[in-house]
Amino acid sequence: MGNGTPNDRRTWQPLVTALVPTYNGAAFIDRTLDSLAAQTWPHLEILIGDDRSTDDTLDVVRRFALGRPNVRIVERDVNLGWLRNSNDLMAGADGELMFFAFHDDVVAPTYVERLVGALRTNDRAVLAFSDMHVHELDGTEHLHAFDELEGLSSAVDRGRVMVRRPENWWVPNRGLFRTSGFVDVGGIHPNEQGEFSADWTWLLGLALVGEFVRVPEALCTKYYMAGSLSKRWPHDATQVQALRRSGIAEIRRSGLSPARKAALSGFLWRRVYGSRLPDSVKGVFRGLGW
């Protein structure tokens, strides 16, 4: 992912952009913003995109921005939805590194510092992430960790993990990623059903670009709210099939060789089309271990 010398890495002090896509978060965005203001990393830009909120969110973020020259606010004329709002923020960020600070998340003061350090020691890594505490709607709290990509230097091996959507695959979405990764992937892509689990194809795309580095500390806390988008997705068969087809499209867009694209797409093709595939095609897939 880079060509700097070891000495360059030791002195690397990148600008980091915290991306805050928000909509109607007035009741709880304060704690997210306070956690960003408390970061120990000195080179931090905070870029807030208010998606035409109908509550007092815009007033809250304007007050936060007062006296803070490192804070920028983008006020939308129309509601874009979280995906387009996020893509626009990434395109407008100045940082060499970026991370999503969703308005119901809180990060530890050392979050940026620790994750920059993880990227500093691995030029092949496109993203560094930590473990997460998650507060559920019923008041319970759980620790979530994702370690299935650890030690995988091959893009195909990482892709094989991500196409399975294993447990906690979503945890790296609260990670720090290189802006070059956003350029390579082309942003978060919608699927036929819109925004449903589009963070999976986004992470799949990044995993095909570079390594993921896990920092085994809980540096991020997520608070689910009654209106949280991921709690409102129906997760029905139509949605899931659309997501799998979107995964195939993500693989095809990647910079992998045609043979590697075919190898990764095969597993998803089987899951999308299943019994409708000709027996001869199924036999080929079985022979390849797909």
Side-chain angles (χ1 to χ4, degrees):
M1 291 304 302
N3 56 8
T5 67
N7 285 337
D8 291 334
R9 289 198 296 269
R10 282 197 296 269
T11 59
W12 186 49
Q13 296 286 312
L15 176 67
V16 176
T17 299
L19 308 161
V20 189
T22 184
Y23 175 72
N24 286 357
F28 42 83
I29 195 174
D30 267 331
R31 63 186 176 191
T32 301
L33 298 175
D34 288 344
S35 75
L36 297 178
Q39 289 302 298
T40 57
W41 186 254
H43 312 293
L44 183 67
E45 171 190 46
I46 301 173
L47 182 57
I48 305 168
D50 180 70
D51 202 17
R52 198 70 176 174
S53 293
T54 58
D55 66 359
D56 295 330
T57 300
L58 196 51
D59 291 334
V60 174
V61 299
R62 283 172 176 165
R63 286 195 297 269
F64 174 77
L66 288 175
R68 290 188 168 98
N70 66 324
V71 178
R72 288 193 285 142
I73 302 172
V74 179
E75 302 179 18
R76 307 296 182 195
D77 295 326
V78 295
N79 181 270
L80 300 180
W82 78 268
L83 192 156
R84 291 172 60 200
N85 190 12
S86 296
N87 278 338
D88 185 72
L89 290 178
M90 285 190 282
D94 291 332
E96 184 179 353
L97 305 175
M98 299 186 276
F99 68 98
F100 289 112
F102 296 109
H103 64 198
D104 47 6
D105 293 354
V106 174
V107 289
T110 57
Y111 168 89
V112 174
E113 181 179 357
R114 294 285 289 121
L115 297 186
V116 169
L119 289 176
R120 182 185 286 125
T121 59
N122 187 346
D123 281 351
R124 300 179 305 278
V126 69
L127 182 149
F129 67 100
S130 76
D131 300 342
M132 286 183 62
H133 287 297
V134 176
H135 291 255
E136 296 288 349
L137 295 175
D138 62 6
T140 58
E141 179 183 345
H142 305 281
L143 177 66
H144 292 263
F146 182 65
D147 60 5
E148 296 202 33
L149 293 179
E150 289 190 279
L152 298 184
S153 59
S154 162
V156 171
D157 289 343
R158 294 190 299 269
R160 284 175 179 154
V161 170
M162 293 305 294
V163 297
R164 291 190 289 103
R165 297 182 76 216
E167 185 178 10
N168 295 332
W169 62 262
W170 47 270
V171 171
N173 201 37
R174 268 64 179 186
L176 184 66
F177 57 93
R178 299 185 193 272
T179 299
S180 60
F182 161 67
V183 173
D184 289 341
V185 174
I188 308 171
H189 300 110
N191 55 64
E192 297 162 14
Q193 296 296 312
E195 300 178 338
F196 169 70
S197 276
D199 50 344
W200 171 67
T201 47
W202 161 244
L203 290 174
L204 171 60
L206 285 176
L208 300 180
V209 169
E211 296 179 16
F212 285 21
V213 180
R214 173 184 170 231
V215 175
E217 303 173 38
L219 300 175
C220 181
T221 301
K222 177 175 180 58
Y223 295 87
Y224 276 118
M225 304 298 170
S228 292
L229 186 62
S230 56
K231 294 295 186 183
R232 292 187 279 116
W233 279 327
H235 294 83
D236 58 29
T238 300
Q239 299 266 25
V240 172
Q241 293 294 74
L243 184 62
R244 289 170 178 163
R245 285 191 288 269
S246 183
I248 292 169
E250 197 71 52
I251 293 167
R252 286 175 171 171
R253 277 190 294 265
S254 76
L256 297 180
S257 69
R260 290 182 172 186
K261 289 179 183 180
L264 284 177
S265 298
F267 176 71
L268 278 176
W269 275 115
R270 284 200 69 189
R271 300 194 72 179
V272 171
Y273 294 105
S275 61
R276 289 175 288 169
L277 288 171
D279 289 340
S280 59
V281 176
K282 293 179 188 175
V284 172
F285 283 165
R286 283 195 295 271
L288 293 171
W290 299 343

